[in-house]
Amino acid sequence: MREREWETAIREPLASAATDTTVLVLVDGAAGTGKTRFVRWLLALPELAGPPRLKVTFRPSGAVVRKEFTRPRGTSSAAERSGAPRRPSGIRTTVLAESGTAQSPVSSLSELTASFGRDVPMLLVAEDVQRAGEQDARALRTFLERPPAGLRAVLTYRPEELASPGLVLGAPVAYPAEMNLLRLRLGPLDEATVHEMAVKALGEDRCSARFLTRLYERSGGIAQAVADLLTELKTAGPLPGARPTMVGRDRLTARHVDEAAVPVRLTELVVGRMAALDEETRRLAWAAAVLDEAATEDELSSVADLSVDSGRSALTAALCEAVLHELGLGQYGFRMPMEAAAVYQLLAGPVRRELHGRAAAVLEARRPTPWARLARHQLASGRTNDWLGSVEKAACEAVEAGDHESAIALLEDTLANPLVAHPNRARLALMLARSAYSALRSDQTVQVLRRLVEDPELPAAVRGEIRLDLGLLLGNHLGQAAEGRADLMKSVEELRGHARLAARAMAALALPYWPDGPLADNLSWLTRAETTAVESGDAVVRAAVAANQVTVLLSVGDAEGWRQLERLPR
């Protein structure tokens, strides 16, 4: 929820309420969703600047209490008498031990609230009340049941950590009938807000579209996770072993997000919750971390190797402990991928491999088969041949759907793996080249094709086929004639024994549009192209070379070109 939405949900009701009306705002938000940011925003509102303030933050070890006065009661300053705005004249801090034993002149939260008097409007802000002990929770319940006139109270809490779900202060509160009760639920940020945060923190020039999308996906839009990730990524440079990015050396990519360390704050939260689980529930959480997506109860139980009854009990416990969440109707998993990553990184190798094997079996049973996700589990469980087959199917599906960029990302990652050898490497490289040619800007395509033709592990003929496209792209579209001509000539050598493709390269070299070299060279290439086209036995290639022959003859003013034109196949 953005600040402009808080304006409507909270500020307007607070401002419009009569001065003697009591207002209680319950702010419901899971860990990291921005409750502290909301409190800072609230305390800065000019409408709340006048009354005395009491701010209490509960921590696992006790309560830190901050008491602020706009002025000592019963006095007035010259500035106030002159009509100038009042400003805080005194602030003191009180710390209460967990048991309520005083470490300060005030002995308890109940005495602290009572010290304000019944006839003085005040602002009470209590943060993380799910951590309040029974003594403090009872003091707050009593205070809210008989509030002072004009009280403005704000209580923030994590619903997943309430001792009694649905009861903010551990027991029902007899709120007075005249109290205005408001509830604000802080959920994940939307994608546009995450994008704004990233651009503000990193600069627009560093934020590629895929980076922004992946940042939102991996953080789940949880405000604190986004902020921590952005802090981590501010100093990010080229990744170890990474190929040069297609859009600039300092541009952040989706892989930067994927390989960024899980923030310490989030890791400790998730691992701390995992520690409270029994063995079977922990195995179910491991299964969810390996799947790393919403899954059904049966799927989680299968990956965890639990019976139906044990799986249901384990899932219920994981939900109660806020380790897993219901992400949709009958779909469960971690709140965001980074939580899954925090658990995944703790798994021992043999356990992880076994879980991936069962995850692959679960995904193989889905219809339609999610080939890209299945490939990840097959690779992690050691099924290399199955992995390559799934990668190829996933890339073909992406191409057929017109999503060439997804196909390119998948194929580039796969070709970077040393496990890919002939003939799979050649086939996947050609798929990558065709997708790059179809989907990317010309300069990006050149970078992809250049990396492929410089791969010594590819067969010469494959490099030659890709180099042919590279040479045509450089010369025909980017105006880099000399570079294009050099690549076409090299492709002819690499395509020995592949007459159809070699003839195409020779026919392109025959065109007299290249700015260097004598016409005799063009005519020589034309003769070679004609001979090679005949050898190929391919009618399409022969027609293409004949068309180039007409182009060459007419370009140099040879009347034979018109007669050749009449003989072209119709």
Side-chain angles (χ1 to χ4, degrees):
M1 180 176 279
R2 299 187 184 190
E3 290 186 10
R4 63 171 174 263
E5 296 173 86
W6 298 346
E7 293 276 345
T8 304
I10 299 300
R11 185 173 188 169
E12 290 180 10
L14 284 176
S16 61
T19 55
D20 61 347
T21 302
T22 58
V23 181
L24 171 61
V25 181
L26 299 175
V27 183
D28 171 321
T33 50
K35 297 183 296 298
T36 301
R37 184 168 62 99
F38 169 79
V39 168
R40 285 199 299 266
W41 170 84
L42 186 82
L43 293 176
L45 293 178
E47 295 92 330
L48 302 178
R53 300 179 176 193
L54 172 62
K55 181 169 176 285
V56 184
T57 301
F58 291 97
R59 303 193 184 282
S61 59
V64 177
V65 180
R66 183 172 182 177
K67 181 179 180 180
E68 302 180 22
F69 288 104
T70 56
R71 62 179 174 82
R73 293 203 310 277
T75 67
S76 63
S77 67
E80 289 179 85
R81 289 193 295 272
S82 68
R86 294 185 298 175
R87 298 188 182 279
S89 60
I91 298 176
R92 60 193 170 111
T93 300
T94 303
V95 179
L96 306 181
E98 188 172 10
S99 64
T101 302
Q103 296 177 356
S104 68
V106 180
S107 62
S108 70
L109 181 59
S110 58
E111 288 188 28
L112 189 59
T113 54
S115 70
F116 279 83
R118 306 296 305 171
D119 58 344
V120 179
M122 65 174 289
L123 171 65
L124 168 66
V125 177
E127 293 191 277
D128 285 324
V129 296
Q130 81 279 355
R131 294 172 175 163
E134 174 53 27
Q135 180 178 338
D136 289 333
R138 185 169 59 250
L140 285 172
R141 292 197 300 268
T142 301
F143 182 69
L144 292 173
E145 288 172 357
R146 297 185 62 251
L151 171 71
R152 301 292 189 264
V154 178
L155 274 56
T156 74
Y157 62 97
R158 297 178 181 179
E160 72 273 21
E161 293 183 8
L162 292 175
S164 301
L167 296 175
V168 177
L169 294 174
V173 180
Y175 301 112
E178 63 273 15
M179 175 182 281
N180 288 347
L181 271 167
L182 304 173
R183 186 188 295 274
L184 178 67
R185 284 192 168 91
L186 299 181
L189 303 174
D190 60 27
E191 192 166 358
T193 304
V194 172
H195 290 189
E196 288 173 11
M197 289 177 65
V199 169
K200 183 177 180 180
L202 304 173
E204 191 169 1
D205 58 330
R206 297 197 71 198
C207 298
S208 68
R210 282 190 169 274
F211 164 77
L212 291 171
T213 298
R214 189 59 181 145
L215 176 67
Y216 173 70
E217 291 172 349
R218 191 162 188 246
S219 68
I222 303 301
Q224 188 64 63
V226 175
D228 288 345
L229 257 183
L230 291 175
T231 299
E232 177 82 19
L233 291 165
K234 278 182 180 178
T235 57
L239 291 163
R243 298 172 181 229
T245 64
M246 294 185 290
V247 284
R249 185 174 59 84
D250 295 324
R251 194 90 153 157
L252 294 171
T253 66
R255 189 178 160 199
H256 280 92
V257 182
D258 289 336
E259 300 199 6
V262 179
V264 173
R265 207 184 327 250
L266 180 61
T267 296
E268 293 192 354
L269 173 70
V270 177
V271 174
R273 289 176 175 175
M274 287 284 293
L277 305 180
D278 61 34
E279 182 181 351
E280 288 191 341
T281 307
R282 194 176 301 120
R283 281 168 55 191
L284 192 89
W286 290 347
V290 166
L291 280 170
D292 195 18
E293 62 175 322
T296 66
E297 177 185 325
D298 289 343
E299 288 174 335
L300 289 170
S301 298
S302 294
V303 176
D305 198 22
L306 296 174
S307 68
V308 172
D309 290 341
S310 295
R312 181 169 294 114
S313 298
L315 177 58
T316 302
L319 293 170
C320 289
E321 293 295 331
V323 174
L324 300 184
H325 300 263
E326 188 167 8
L327 305 178
L329 184 61
Q331 298 284 312
Y332 306 93
F334 284 93
R335 184 176 51 155
M336 55 177 146
M338 280 200 303
E339 288 184 339
V343 174
Y344 186 87
Q345 66 190 8
L346 300 178
L347 295 177
V351 174
R352 188 170 60 242
R353 185 185 180 100
E354 181 182 335
L355 287 164
H356 275 294
R358 289 198 291 268
V362 163
L363 266 60
E364 284 170 335
R366 287 186 184 176
R367 292 296 179 270
T369 307
W371 294 112
R373 285 189 171 275
L374 174 58
R376 180 175 69 88
H377 294 300
Q378 289 168 332
L379 175 62
S381 60
R383 294 166 53 186
T384 307
N385 290 334
D386 292 336
W387 161 60
L388 288 170
S390 295
V391 164
E392 193 164 349
K393 288 173 182 174
C396 287
E397 275 192 356
V399 169
E400 289 171 5
D403 187 5
H404 289 277
E405 290 198 5
S406 292
I408 289 166
L410 177 62
L411 292 168
E412 282 204 304
D413 285 347
T414 303
L415 286 168
N417 192 311
L419 293 174
V420 183
H422 311 303
N424 296 313
R425 190 170 196 82
R427 187 171 61 256
L428 296 176
L430 288 171
M431 290 180 67
L432 173 57
R434 289 163 191 152
S435 284
Y437 207 93
S438 301
L440 301 177
R441 294 197 319 263
S442 294
D443 58 327
Q444 296 173 339
T445 302
V446 166
Q447 292 185 42
V448 174
L449 299 185
R450 181 64 71 195
R451 289 198 292 268
L452 290 174
V453 298
E454 291 173 357
D455 184 349
E457 294 186 29
L458 288 177
V462 173
R463 294 201 306 273
E465 183 173 349
I466 297 171
R467 198 185 301 276
L468 169 59
D469 286 335
L470 175 60
L472 293 173
L473 178 63
L474 289 170
N476 295 344
H477 297 286
L478 297 180
Q480 299 176 29
E483 294 87 345
R485 186 177 181 83
D487 275 305
L488 285 173
M489 293 175 68
K490 194 166 185 179
S491 75
V492 171
E493 297 303 314
E494 292 171 329
L495 290 168
R496 289 180 183 275
H498 295 76
R500 182 179 59 84
L501 294 171
R504 281 187 58 206
M506 295 171 188
L509 288 166
L511 296 173
Y513 301 147
W514 307 99
D516 55 341
L519 177 61
D521 285 351
N522 300 109
L523 297 177
S524 174
W525 281 115
L526 180 60
T527 301
R528 290 183 62 183
E530 291 173 330
T531 302
T532 306
V534 171
E535 291 173 355
S536 73
D538 190 317
V540 175
V541 173
R542 290 201 305 271
V545 171
N548 274 27
Q549 183 182 38
V550 170
T551 302
V552 172
L553 294 173
L554 293 179
S555 296
V556 298
D558 190 328
E560 179 62 22
W562 295 109
R563 289 186 286 275
Q564 295 286 357
L565 178 61
E566 291 301 319
R567 290 197 290 270
L568 284 179
R570 301 304 186 203

